[in-house]
Amino acid sequence: GRLVGRGVTDDKGPVIAWINTIQAFKEAGVEIPVDLVFCIEGMEESGSEGLEDFIKQEKSHGFKGVDGICISDNYWVGTKQPVLTYGLRGVSYYSITISGPSEDLHSGLFGGTTYEPMIDLTHVLSRLVTPNGKILIPGIDEMVAPLTPEESGLYDKITFTINDLKDALGHDTTIHETPKEALMSRWRYPSLSIHGVEGAFSSPGAKTVIPAKVSGKFSIRTVPDIDLKKLDQLVFDYV
């Protein structure tokens, strides 16, 4: 009863579901009540290069008169109810590069005599976000759209448990104790994640090098009403 393979859920399965829908209408002899335009591309994981230019090129041709868009690339919250997603958090991606000595150094010779880029980088990264997810950059929380009673009530109707989240994580590493808190943190509030470091020693074993240049990468998931240009400035000024 299962399909097993690369891309079954992301994103071959959802694409086939649309084709099956058209097939069902055809076999039932029922006319589809709207016109459908399909745009299928397979480079989402590598940035969908060329898609933006293609959409602009076709806005007055193939996509002319389109009233609504449905993107079949998302997840279900649990396994008991289907999900219709009407919005996603955005993302702003950042890189911090710190240079020091003109070349890599030996810690036995130069440790304690020079500012070390890796130490400075970890110092900066550690001050971006707390372990429980609180963003430490001033001004970001103030831009988030306020929670209304109507929106708050929507979360109470969603079939989702903390155990669903633990199952998805594969471990009990959840920050929040209630499903509502977890879903709000996942959907309506910004988050900051640190993704990696370039230029530092990362192989197994011990190495006493002081890297001359390192880059740290992090991103912020954005929500309404965050102004992206203002967000950039807040991040730059803080760093």
Side-chain angles (χ1 to χ4, degrees), residues 147-238:
L147 178 67
T148 64
E150 180 183 10
E151 182 189 351
S152 178
L154 294 175
Y155 291 90
D156 299 325
K157 304 173 185 177
I158 298 174
T159 302
F160 180 72
T161 68
I162 288 296
N163 284 332
D164 289 329
L165 180 57
K166 291 178 181 178
D167 289 342
L169 293 171
H171 202 277
D172 182 8
T173 55
T174 57
I175 293 175
H176 304 284
E177 296 182 359
T178 68
K180 191 169 186 176
E181 289 176 318
L183 289 176
M184 285 188 177
S185 295
R186 191 176 187 178
W187 291 344
R188 77 150 344 261
Y189 291 116
S191 63
L192 190 152
S193 298
I194 298 173
H195 302 294
V197 175
E198 289 185 8
F201 174 61
S202 59
S203 302
K207 191 175 182 180
T208 57
V209 66
I210 297 173
K213 178 181 177 181
V214 288
S215 295
K217 301 177 181 181
F218 69 96
S219 70
I220 296 175
R221 289 288 169 174
T222 56
V223 298
D225 296 319
I226 288 181
D227 181 292
L228 297 184
K229 290 184 178 179
K230 184 176 180 181
L231 174 65
D232 285 348
Q233 198 59 54
L234 290 173
V235 172
F236 300 157
D237 290 346
Y238 182 75

Side-chain angles (χ1 to χ4, degrees), residues 3-120:
L3 292 174
V4 179
R6 182 174 175 83
V8 169
T9 61
D10 183 9
D11 198 33
K12 298 186 185 86
V15 171
I16 294 298
W18 277 103
I19 297 173
N20 287 341
T21 299
I22 295 172
Q23 178 185 11
F25 270 96
K26 186 175 181 179
E27 292 180 356
V30 178
E31 184 176 351
I32 298 176
V34 295
D35 293 330
L36 296 176
V37 178
F38 284 85
C39 177
I40 302 175
E41 61 94 25
M43 292 180 64
E44 184 259 335
E45 297 296 348
S46 56
S48 296
E49 295 181 13
L51 178 62
E52 185 176 354
D53 292 337
F54 176 73
I55 292 173
K56 291 178 180 178
Q57 172 188 317
E58 292 295 324
K59 69 177 182 178
S60 300
H61 305 287
F63 300 140
K64 185 177 182 179
V66 170
D67 298 311
I69 298 172
C70 183
I71 300 174
S72 305
D73 178 16
N74 213 337
Y75 58 88
W76 285 15
V77 179
T79 59
K80 295 181 175 64
Q81 286 185 335
V83 172
L84 178 62
T85 300
Y86 58 86
L88 291 171
R89 292 190 295 181
V91 62
S92 292
Y93 205 96
Y94 302 95
S95 177
I96 303 172
T97 299
I98 298 181
S99 299
S102 60
E103 60 184 3
D104 290 354
L105 302 174
H106 190 291
S107 66
L109 294 175
F110 296 101
T113 68
T114 178
Y115 287 110
E116 299 186 17
M118 189 63 188
I119 292 176
D120 288 350

